[in-house]
Amino acid sequence: CMCVRVGTYDDLCLPAIAPLDEGHLVVEGDAELSRPIVQTVALRLLLGNLPGTIRATFIDPAGSGQGFAMFRGLPTAIRGERVLTQAAEIDARVAALVDEAEEVIQQRLGGQYDTIDAYNQAHPAVAQPHRLIAILGFPSDEWTDRARAMLFRLARNGPRAGYHILFGIGGDPPTEDAVDDSALRGSARVTKQSTGATTFRLGAEPEASFVPDVLPSEAWAADQIRVAADEADAAPQILPDAHPVLVPANWSGDSTEGL
């Protein structure tokens, strides 16, 4: 199950969890709200899983890539060659992601496996990584009509194949034709209300007030990313398309210790 913590419910003091296997994470609000949430969730996913088991595509045209600069210390096999900022490269990469997801669905899942995790459990020697697409400032002028259409095609079909999208929707409210809500049905949503409160909602569930997790300091993130990069360099077999046979020491402990 690909789930990630986003924050804490105000009244219940319980973590707000986004189940990405069933949809995506949509953060609606100004950049001051959406940027740190998308950054924090991406950081949690990439550092909380074995290096190479999640591959990321970062898209930040409005910020010229600065919004994801903290991830540049990761190997390019995990983070991609660069943060995408230009219309042509965004268009090409989103189309490639759609092709890859449909190849996984047709050639690996077929009618036998419901999810990529079920396939990976049955075929650990050729296990496929999950794919994270993290986007800031959507939609902007750099998103062509074709790129938007392909992105929401990926949003519909991608979760089953392990493709998960973090939508940072900032600035003015997007027009109806810019965001295809039917493709985001079942997704977790973070919304900044007119009252100033921030709410969290899963699919059709009622909204609840919550406090987003705080983005760690740049120095802390850089240290943790350096550790992840060192582990990836020490175990290069996890960077192709297979999960590792030997688990790096940093990910082999008992997570319940000390509780």
Side-chain angles (χ1 to χ4, degrees):
C1 177
M2 179 61 68
C3 299
V4 63
R5 172 183 164 134
V6 182
T8 305
Y9 288 109
D10 263 350
D11 297 333
L12 302 176
C13 295
L14 294 173
I17 305 295
L20 299 182
D21 283 342
E22 302 172 15
H24 310 280
L25 176 63
V26 182
V27 186
E28 301 169 304
D30 55 33
E32 296 307 311
L33 171 73
S34 60
R35 186 190 304 113
I37 293 178
V38 171
Q39 290 169 329
T40 302
V41 171
L43 193 65
R44 190 184 296 277
L45 286 169
L46 288 168
L47 296 183
N49 291 275
L50 287 166
T53 58
I54 296 182
R55 310 285 183 83
T57 294
F58 294 112
I59 305 175
D60 178 26
S64 299
Q66 185 61 34
F68 296 119
M70 68 172 64
F71 297 99
R72 63 184 178 272
L74 290 171
T76 56
I78 295 176
R79 62 172 171 82
E81 292 291 337
R82 56 177 262 126
V83 179
L84 307 183
T85 61
Q86 301 171 19
E89 60 185 359
I90 293 172
D91 196 292
R93 181 58 183 147
V94 173
L97 288 167
V98 169
D99 288 344
E100 292 170 10
E102 293 180 353
E103 182 75 9
V104 169
I105 292 170
Q106 294 176 28
Q107 299 299 325
R108 298 188 183 271
L109 304 186
Q112 185 174 3
Y113 302 103
D114 290 334
T115 66
I116 194 63
D117 288 330
Y119 173 86
N120 287 345
Q121 187 173 8
H123 304 280
V126 289
Q128 299 298 296
H130 284 257
R131 306 281 179 170
L132 176 68
I133 301 92
I135 303 167
L136 290 176
F138 182 87
S140 61
D141 292 341
E142 289 79 9
W143 285 89
T144 65
D145 291 344
R146 176 178 182 270
R148 287 201 303 270
M150 296 296 278
L151 181 68
F152 287 109
R153 180 172 169 179
L154 182 64
R156 284 191 181 87
N157 304 319
R160 182 186 175 208
Y163 287 68
H164 317 288
I165 306 173
L166 307 180
F167 285 93
I169 300 178
D172 296 330
T175 59
E176 290 185 5
D177 61 343
V179 176
D180 184 352
D181 278 329
S182 66
L184 301 177
R185 191 172 293 114
S187 295
R189 288 180 181 264
V190 175
T191 306
K192 187 169 186 178
Q193 305 294 334
S194 58
T195 60
T198 302
T199 59
F200 181 78
R201 174 165 56 93
L202 289 177
E205 295 296 321
E207 292 179 330
S209 181
F210 96 121
V211 178
D213 285 338
V214 176
L215 180 67
S217 69
E218 187 173 342
W220 183 93
D223 286 342
Q224 299 305 309
I225 286 172
R226 190 177 304 112
V227 170
D230 290 344
E231 294 286 3
D233 290 340
Q237 72 272 21
I238 54 183
L239 291 180
D241 286 334
H243 283 245
V245 176
L246 299 177
V247 178
N250 283 8
W251 283 269
S252 62
D254 181 356
S255 62
T256 64
E257 185 176 352
L259 293 181

